[in-house]
Amino acid sequence: MFDTLKQGYLNRERENLSRKQAWKELAETCRKLLEFDAGDFKAMHDLIWALREQKDFKAALPWCDRIMKLAPARSVENTLALEGPRYLRYLVVSGEVFLRNGQLDRARKILILLKRTGGNFHKKHLLLSEVYEKQGRLAQAAAELEEMQEIYTSLNNHQWEHFILVRARELLPVAQQAKAADTVFLLYRLLTRISLRRGEIDRYIQARQADEELKQEVPPLKAAAALLQGKPDEVPALMQGAPWPELADQFVAHALAAQGKAAECAQLLRRMPVESPLRLELAQRIKSALSTDAAFLRDYAESSLKAGRPEEAFEAYQSLTTGASCDLADLERSKQLRLLLLDRNIWEDEARVGLIPGILAADAGRVARAEVEEIPLTLAGTPQPVATSQGFRFENSHSVPIDLTEVKLRLAENYFRRGAKTDVGVKLLQELGQQAGPMRARARCQLALHFIRAGNAVAAQAAFKEFTEAASAVGDEDRKRMLLDVGDCSEAAGLVEQAKTCYGTILAMDVTYADVQERARGLEKAAAAPKPAPAPEDAAASRIRQRFADLRPLGRGGMGVVYKAFDPLFARPVALKVLSERFRGDESVVARFLREGQAMAQLLHHPGIVRVYEVGAGHDMYIAMELVAGSSLRGVLKEKTKLPVAQVRDIALQALEALGFAHKSGIVHRDIKPDNLLLTPEGKVKLMDFGLADMSTATMLTQVGTMMGTGQYMPPEQIRGEEADARSDIYSFGAMLFELATGQVPFPKGDLAHRHINEAPPSPRTLVPDLPAVFEAAVLRCLEKDRLKRFQSCEELAAELGKVR
């Protein structure tokens, strides 16, 4: 009873002393409380705070060790919401204590964790900057200060700028002595930004001009001011007085990027160290303008790798491997990067289920796992540390619930994709195969696929039987999808009867599903004229369903089937366009299909063009694209027949911006029509299907005298087999505008080729009398037979349509 009363008194005293900031007395009171209860979190919390205020970092160290073990097992966000910032102070104190005692890694991990509190604990950034400086990571030390300034500026809170300036001035001579050009650039940019906001930049520069020791700072400060004030053309002359050439390169490169001089900027980037974070930052700014420059893409990929960002490196090589400058080394590097991403996914899933030594499983220890920032992997046998994925960091730091059965299934699939730890994968699937519900069928489906691909006939037959039994208990859509996967795999492995069973079951449920009818007919033809079974390596290399997951048919086109799928490497949904089996031997169709992927991959940085993520060649040809919600304009016209002229104008202006970008990149679409423009629910327009694209930088797909396109929208020169150019797309665009506004194309029937070449189009206002005259005139000018009489560019047409009211 007495002890309880005494504890209550001491707790009240603790609160009182904390308010008075009587740190010595507070520390003594907290020690007394801990004699009653060694696990009293609040007492220990206030004790380390009091010791820190007394600068007794050595005495605070053992208590920080204890409180980190004692801390509540909940996320930073939850603690902030429940307790407020006071009972998170142990993190910033522990970070500082570990820093002052030389335990830099521990300090860094805790301070990074604390950054999720937003604007609380301003000192976390200053301490992290110190940690990075002591670790020799000077650019990160400067970047931390810049991040702090941006955060507090966004909150309209400038009271901490003095501390940022002091810390930046402390770091600057260290960076200058090390000749760390990127760090010095960041610091001058930061100092200038704050001085400009305060209106003190002229006085700041004049003070340095008058000081002989600081005079060398004047050129970079003036150059930084010119950049921030939108005067990049002044920078090269200012930096002629730079202290050393590498610093001049940084400023001039930023000036060139600001002026849109991407090629000149890229040349300067090659002189910077690969590990320079500013080299990567600049490369990201100019990459849309250099998406076909092989040398730039290789440099950009290697800079991304140095920064531990393999996704960006892989995507750069994907752009590179669709271009004419690709060589075998590029293809090999792309393959290595794909495997690296797969290894990261495997490591993260192993961590989630508790298979990584020292990393706790998903049901506990979220803070411990949140500290993992880099994974020690190898790339082509060379150590390659890789940053953990954003999803992995988020779910750990925010206490996101994890479905371990889904994780185990994904992990097993990735083991099989990687060709490593397949025995562990089999055990995981066997365990999941005992589950109730859909997971049983999904696990047994993956087991069957694995044994079929591995050529284990006995195990494959048993697994196939178990799968078909389990699949009968799931919904029709899931069942059809799994049967198609197994049938496809069986067909590739030469297991004809097994494939027939799968396809026959699907057709009994839905005769129009994907391309199953075509596949079944192909098996019948193969039975009539037997062919050797494909070599195991061909079958293994050709399986799209080993690369992508959860394929669901979206629709069928003239060249194949489009699926909604999931890309496990990047954890994103994709639209997967797969070339139909019957066209694989037709060289002209294959060329058209690959040309579409190549053209769109070059244009991947424009928001008005459906982005291509990956082009797959080989036996199974596919294009993995951005999955866009919405409908094609053809679908819109089926519902509404025609559209209001204001909507037509808005659609046209968006589409012309994207088409103009393609033309400037040397690409002519050659098949503009409502089917090839997507309209999102938000009203955004996306241009797609470059299957007929003519790229001026590559071999032409069709030669003179060959006609390809869609008859109702085709310009006269394309019908005659002449070379198409940007004005040819404008003719097709005019025919599409005519249809969108009136509900019919200019020449709906008859000898379309003759009419496009010889007949004048009807007046749109004879069909819709209230159309604006300026709109009609623009459409008819697009449809001129002579290219010289049409609009000569998308910008010219857009300017005219902009007058439509």
Side-chain angles (χ1 to χ4, degrees), residues 255-293:
L256 291 170
Q259 292 172 293
K261 298 178 179 179
E264 295 172 56
C265 180
Q267 288 181 347
L268 268 185
L269 294 188
R270 292 188 189 109
R271 287 162 39 178
M272 298 180 189
V274 175
E275 63 275 7
S276 165
L278 286 184
R279 171 175 167 159
L280 181 57
E281 177 191 306
L282 282 167
Q284 288 172 324
R285 285 178 62 183
I286 64 174
K287 67 180 178 181
S288 61
L290 298 173
S291 59
T292 59
D293 185 318

Side-chain angles (χ1 to χ4, degrees), residues 394-618:
F394 180 86
E395 71 185 28
N396 291 328
S397 61
H398 290 74
S399 301
V400 174
I402 300 171
D403 184 344
L404 287 182
T405 60
E406 289 287 345
V407 174
K408 289 177 180 178
L409 180 67
R410 183 174 64 217
L411 181 57
E413 292 171 352
N414 282 337
Y415 281 150
F416 299 151
R417 288 187 181 101
R418 188 66 173 91
K421 300 184 181 179
T422 53
D423 54 335
V424 181
V426 168
K427 287 179 182 177
L428 288 171
L429 292 178
Q430 287 171 339
E431 173 193 329
L432 296 173
Q434 303 305 313
Q435 300 271 342
M439 181 54 72
R440 178 195 299 260
R442 292 171 63 192
R444 291 184 175 182
C445 174
Q446 291 303 319
L447 264 180
L449 291 170
H450 169 63
F451 287 130
I452 292 167
R453 289 172 183 140
N456 189 335
V458 176
Q461 187 175 8
F464 179 74
K465 182 180 177 183
E466 289 183 348
F467 157 65
T468 52
E469 290 171 356
S472 62
V474 300
D476 282 356
E477 285 304 312
D478 287 338
R479 188 182 181 198
K480 286 185 290 188
R481 192 165 66 253
M482 286 188 281
L483 283 166
L484 180 56
D485 285 352
V486 175
D488 178 65
C489 186
S490 300
E491 182 183 352
L495 302 175
V496 176
E497 293 305 317
Q498 206 162 277
K500 282 183 178 179
T501 299
C502 292
Y503 297 156
T505 307
I506 294 172
L507 292 174
M509 292 189 285
D510 181 356
V511 293
T512 65
Y513 190 77
D515 57 348
V516 175
Q517 272 190 325
E518 181 186 325
R519 288 172 174 271
R521 283 194 296 267
L523 286 177
E524 293 300 332
K525 290 178 183 177
K531 294 179 182 178
E537 60 272 18
D538 293 337
S542 68
R543 295 305 86 204
I544 292 173
R545 288 172 179 80
Q546 280 189 283
R547 171 69 182 88
F548 299 95
D550 199 24
L551 275 67
R552 301 170 184 241
L554 286 177
R556 184 191 301 273
M559 298 170 70
V561 180
V562 179
Y563 296 91
K564 177 183 178 182
F566 184 76
D567 183 346
L569 279 181
F570 296 101
R572 64 190 172 198
V574 296
L576 197 63
K577 188 171 184 177
V578 181
L579 185 64
S580 181
E581 185 77 37
R582 68 178 184 273
F583 293 127
R584 305 277 167 83
D586 188 327
E587 291 184 5
S588 64
V589 176
V590 169
R592 172 182 169 181
F593 187 82
L594 293 178
R595 177 60 51 83
E596 175 181 357
Q598 291 166 355
M600 291 175 73
Q602 289 188 22
L603 300 171
L604 59 82
H605 297 293
H606 195 282
I609 296 175
V610 173
R611 182 177 179 185
V612 162
Y613 296 127
E614 185 176 333
V615 180

Side-chain angles (χ1 to χ4, degrees), residues 771-787:
L771 282 177
V774 65
F775 178 82
E776 178 184 66
V779 170
L780 292 176
R781 185 176 169 189
C782 290
L783 294 172
E784 287 283 354
K785 311 300 181 188
D786 184 349
R787 283 190 257 198

